[in-house]
Amino acid sequence: MKQKVRSKRKETSMAQREHWTSRFGFVLAAAGSAVGLGNIWKYPHMAGSNGGAAFTVVYLICIAIVGLPIVIGEFVIGRRTQLSPVGAFDTLAPASKWKYVGFLGVASAFVILSFYSVVGGWTLRYTFMALSGNFAELAGNSALSSETFEKFVSSSWNPVFWHLIFMGLCIAIILNGVKSGIERWSKIMMPLILAILVVLVVRGITLPGGMEGVKFLFLPKFSDLTASSIVLALGHAFFTLSLGMGTMITYGSYLERGQNLLSSSLWVVAVDTMIAMLAGVAIFTLVFAMGADPAEGPGLIFVVLPTVFPQMPGGVVWGTMFFFLLFMAALTSAISILEVVTAYFIDQRGWTRARATFIFGSVIGVVGLFCSLSLGGFTDFKTLFNLSFFDFLDYASSKYMLPIGGMLTAIFIMKKWGIPAFLTELHEGIEGKFRIPVRAALVLLSIAAFVVFMIILNEIWAVITGHPLVF
Ligand code: PFF
């Protein structure tokens, strides 16, 4: 009986499911999910304080060894089942506990979007600040810039207002579905992101002293590279490629058969990596040319850059372009996170898209509101590990939920679905000479799962004993 219901659901899902209009649209949407705050905000400051090019080399190795196999794995699971994560695992392993990996993905999406959209709101507010010339008074004054930023994020309603607008935009895009929502907006925003970034890079490297920033980012300083920066690079590879919560399974489920998923995955990973590098160059050339502090850490974007832009000729334009770029990158990622939650309610619960998007977009909006208020606007209450609610959600998702989800996905392919079945699906649309042997797939997925297992173990060890296994 259950089997009958399941196959009926599968038939209707295949027949009615929306699909990407083209391979280009799919690659842009998936790259849009990958390219986000992780590339433009996190990567540059991580590289800046962990050995520049030395960190970049490790990061690239992690992307290739851990990231790429899991990106491919998620796309293949999605395309095979034509379902979002819970249904996908349930179809490939009926009546087993594997569907809980899908539920973990939906939960991670919920958690991540709650704080991600708060930062998305900050990018929007800083775009308007730049546009209206408000950075002028911060020129060269990082103490004032830091105070302005702190005051903004810890105030009550101002950041909540911007967060709600940001969530509203996500809901508006997702309401329009795969083709006219996600694909259409990714096709508009991704080329714009790239174009703005290229303009900013050219501006940066042509500023006197700008090339110092390029050297800072790309000349390896192996002395600054510690074991913990390697762990950091691994964790970041996961976050930046949107892995471990079924985003790529969901996007893969809107694919029709026959597309070469190996080359599409390579494209997505390449675009993500290239944008991270370009963002690093754009930011550090400015920072060096203007004599600001490159090792500022997470405050680099919201504290240092607003002091730098007004010192440049045409600073209003450059500043607005930069924050608008950051906002668009955050938005193309945020919609992919909301889509994971929405698709679950459409696929598994039979809800309409409008109902799922409105209800869960609003619920996430409310949770995000508490996230924002936890930074000081409402109360200073602390959660576990003395973290604010905001930091706790960030910590729980990026240190545990995503890596665990990614590791279980790799294990699922090897142990439950089986490499031969996985490769049969992957090889659809791939020429014979590019086909992957079973043994190679097994080795790659095992390495990916093992490496992620070590990251999680390291983190748990650090929590229990107070110091990590590797540091
Ligand atoms: N990849 C996004 C970034 O680099 O900002 C963040 C992200 C999006 C993480 C989607 C996870 C996800 F499912």
Side-chain angles (χ1 to χ4, degrees):
M1 178 66 187
K2 222 174 165 187
Q3 197 66 35
K4 227 172 158 185
V5 174
R6 193 175 289 121
S7 65
K8 178 115 192 47
R9 198 166 63 203
K10 204 170 163 195
E11 275 163 33
T12 28
S13 140
M14 281 279 213
Q16 297 166 352
R17 201 164 192 81
E18 251 197 297
H19 289 106
W20 308 108
T21 58
S22 62
R23 175 182 153 118
F24 180 65
F26 162 64
V27 169
L28 279 192
S33 168
V35 171
L37 296 168
N39 304 60
I40 298 164
W41 172 51
K42 271 190 173 179
Y43 164 73
H45 79 71
M46 279 178 165
S49 29
N50 287 282
F55 180 84
T56 302
V57 170
V58 177
Y59 167 77
L60 292 178
I61 295 174
C62 297
I63 294 272
I65 293 183
V66 183
L68 189 60
I70 299 181
V71 171
I72 298 173
E74 289 205 11
F75 282 157
V76 170
I77 292 175
R79 184 175 74 180
R80 169 84 223 140
T81 58
Q82 299 281 300
L83 285 168
S84 52
V86 175
F89 284 106
D90 198 31
T91 304
L92 294 174
S96 72
K97 296 213 169 16
W98 283 101
K99 63 171 172 294
Y100 291 106
V101 180
F103 280 119
L104 176 69
V106 178
S108 311
F110 202 96
V111 166
I112 293 183
L113 192 52
S114 305
F115 70 84
Y116 202 86
S117 65
V118 172
V119 184
W122 299 350
T123 64
L124 202 50
R125 139 96 190 205
Y126 266 66
T127 305
F128 283 100
M129 271 173 78
L131 184 65
S132 46
N134 287 354
F135 287 166
E137 57 183 354
L138 307 179
N141 188 344
S142 35
L144 183 61
S145 181
S146 167
E147 198 190 312
T148 308
F149 177 64
E150 288 301 325
K151 212 167 137 198
F152 164 61
V153 298
S154 63
S155 62
S156 310
W157 299 114
N158 202 353
V160 166
F161 168 78
W162 293 103
H163 149 70
L164 292 178
I165 300 220
F166 187 85
M167 264 323 283
L169 293 171
C170 284
I171 293 174
I173 295 178
I174 291 303
L175 266 182
N176 283 302
V178 177
K179 283 186 200 140
S180 343
I182 304 174
E183 185 173 342
R184 178 162 159 243
W185 284 99
S186 302
K187 277 180 172 165
I188 298 173
M189 290 194 277
M190 288 303 287
L192 258 176
I193 289 174
L194 191 61
I196 296 183
L197 207 47
V198 169
V199 172
L200 286 169
V201 165
V202 172
R203 174 66 283 205
I205 53 183
T206 49
L207 282 171
M211 284 311 279
E212 286 305 307
V214 178
K215 282 193 205 145
F216 174 76
L217 193 60
F218 291 123
L219 276 187
K221 291 180 284 296
F222 285 101
S223 53
D224 288 359
L225 189 71
T226 60
S228 80
S229 17
I230 299 174
V231 176
L232 204 67
L234 274 166
H236 186 60
F238 243 80
F239 185 80
T240 190
L241 291 173
S242 308
L243 294 178
M245 51 166 263
T247 313
M248 296 307 183
I249 295 182
T250 309
Y251 275 18
S253 76
Y254 302 126
L255 279 168
E256 279 174 299
R257 314 216 89 78
Q259 179 177 131
N260 182 338
L261 279 185
L262 203 56
S263 69
S264 296
S265 307
L266 282 168
W267 268 110
V268 171
V269 172
V271 170
D272 184 71
T273 309
M274 184 184 70
I275 292 206
M277 305 287 139
L278 287 176
V281 172
I283 291 167
F284 284 112
T285 46
L286 292 188
V287 166
F288 272 82
M290 298 297 155
D293 179 12
E296 170 73 31
L300 193 60
I301 296 288
F302 292 104
V303 175
V304 177
L305 291 186
T307 67
V308 165
F309 287 121
Q311 298 181 64
M312 303 165 58
V316 168
V317 176
W318 301 116
T320 309
M321 275 166 79
F322 179 82
F323 281 101
F324 187 56
L325 146 86
L326 191 58
F327 155 71
M328 286 192 296
L331 189 59
T332 50
S333 297
I335 56 175
S336 75
I337 309 179
L338 182 56
E339 180 62 17
V340 171
V341 182
T342 303
Y344 164 72
F345 284 92
I346 299 174
D347 289 346
Q348 301 308 116
R349 301 290 170 119
W351 288 22
T352 61
R353 175 168 285 276
R355 180 174 176 215
T357 312
F358 263 127
I359 295 189
F360 282 91
S362 312
V363 174
I364 293 171
V366 172
V367 179
L369 185 148
F370 286 104
C371 248
S372 178
L373 292 176
S374 79
L375 294 177
F378 180 53
T379 155
D380 248 346
F381 100 98
K382 297 284 183 227
T383 59
L384 230 51
F385 310 125
N386 207 24
L387 293 172
S388 67
F389 185 46
F390 180 104
D391 289 335
F392 179 71
L393 295 190
D394 182 8
Y395 173 76
S397 56
S398 48
K399 297 274 181 182
Y400 298 100
M401 298 173 89
L402 294 188
I404 290 175
M407 178 183 73
L408 291 176
T409 306
I411 294 176
F412 171 81
I413 294 171
M414 293 185 287
K415 293 273 171 216
K416 184 70 193 175
W417 192 19
I419 303 258
F422 162 73
L423 288 179
T424 306
E425 175 66 32
L426 170 64
H427 288 155
E428 252 197 54
I430 297 182
E431 261 181 66
K433 61 180 172 185
F434 292 114
R435 297 200 167 166
I436 300 172
V438 172
R439 192 168 292 200
L442 182 65
V443 169
L444 288 171
L445 285 167
S446 309
I447 293 176
F450 177 73
V451 166
V452 183
F453 173 73
M454 290 310 292
I455 304 178
I456 301 166
L457 191 68
N458 188 55
E459 196 55 43
I460 295 176
W461 187 269
V463 169
I464 297 173
T465 65
H467 50 84
L469 275 174
V470 286
F471 55 91

